[in-house]
Amino acid sequence: MRDFADITVTGLGVTTAVGQGKAAFAQGLFSGAHRFAVMDRPGRQLDTRFVGAQIPALESTSRLGARELRTVSFTGQVALATLEEAWTEARLDDFDAERIGLVVGGSNLQQRELVLAHDRHRAKPRFLRPSYGLSFLDTDLCGLCTAAFGIRGFAHTLGGASASGQLAIIEAAEAVSSGRVDVCVALGALADLSYWELLGLHSMGAMASEDCADAPELACRPFDRRRDGFVYGEACGALVIERRGARPGRQDTPYARLSGWSVQLDGNRNPNPSLDGETRAIRQALGRAGLAPEAIDYVNPHGTASLVGDETEVAALRACGLTHAALNATKSITGHGLTAAGAVEAVAVLLQMQHGRLHPTRNLTDPIDASLHWVRDEAVEAEVRHSLSLSMGFGGINTALCMSTCDS
């Protein structure tokens, strides 16, 4: 069995509707804040009233000038700002650029920008901005980030639907573990949805209905009996992953080590979850971490508020012997970041471990299983030495990630 004991997280960046940057995000989490409202970004509403959580303002990165930023999509701007925070904390400017990699989690990331471009130039397509030839490709984010930060190791995108953010972390950890690079940044990129994607997700029954527009603060309710599907939330997360000892003389204490992980497939094109796939992912991640289920102090579940998905996830936790662990649902505060969700939730886990506190779960008034150890109305103090974070994506993708304190 491969030894993952020296794979650590040394930098974090995060941008969400409830806070940009680690400090603001942590404050938003522990207070149970929200920014759920009827979404109003251009290209996101048609004759509909979809509820979501939008980033209120974005602090731009200093890596690009104003002229360059004019050609960068909202997804790209959020990626740069989020990566800047993680990069600066990990002090990567002084590291060998050829030994740094980048994995961007997500696909079809800039849909709203593309719809706006199509609408703007429908009558005069030959006036289309040349940068469109780059921006309709997800690899544009790789080019943007590697140019801005000087990354010279490798970079690629990785699509796993709502598991993309956690898949990016796992791929980055594998790259460091194998020696391909010494440091790798995992970026869960913002999926900028247009009204087309919102309509499609709504029509398949995955999203909360438009009926919640009159009380948007009550719309997002993972694991509650009154849940009605997921509520979208703009978000982006970045983690710097490196092998312990890769930089001799570095004194900073890592956030945690990535002690085990797993990716399991269901062989299923459809969006429905699989109890077998989820339990296999959990058990393999625990096995690779060398942890018995009772060693896990806290689980951060996928928890989208899907009618079937939440029930299946609770059944998986029961089947894997994790009913003793504390539970909360980060999406109840941030909304569902889709491609970014797994990375943002990993950041949330690490901040909770660092602060010794677990954030509340909004709108959990009638849990589907009240016997589990939910953190409900208020944040609670908790020592977390071993945690488990879960992500699932359409197409039968199941991932699990164990994070442990460096002294455990």
Side-chain angles (χ1 to χ4, degrees), residues 318-341:
R318 284 196 163 281
C320 293
L322 292 165
T323 57
H324 66 282
L327 289 162
N328 57 16
T330 300
K331 290 182 181 69
S332 72
I333 295 172
T334 63
H336 191 349
L338 301 175
T339 51

Side-chain angles (χ1 to χ4, degrees), residues 76 79-80 83 102 104 140-151 187:
L80 289 173
L83 182 50
L102 170 69
V104 176
D140 183 40
L141 286 184
C142 294
L144 178 66
C145 292
T146 56
F149 293 89
I151 296 169
L187 179 77

Side-chain angles (χ1 to χ4, degrees), residues 31-51:
S31 67
H34 83 92
R35 293 194 64 89
F36 295 115
V38 175
M39 293 185 288
D40 58 2
R41 285 204 195 281
R44 196 165 280 164
Q45 297 288 352
L46 193 58
D47 56 353
T48 55
R49 299 179 71 205
F50 289 122
V51 167

Side-chain angles (χ1 to χ4, degrees), residues 180-205:
R180 184 179 180 190
V181 289
D182 295 318
V183 176
C184 194
V185 181
L187 179 77
L190 184 148
D192 194 4
L193 303 187
S194 76
Y195 55 77
W196 289 109
E197 292 73 49
L198 294 171
L199 286 166
L201 290 164
H202 179 259
S203 67
M204 69 188 297

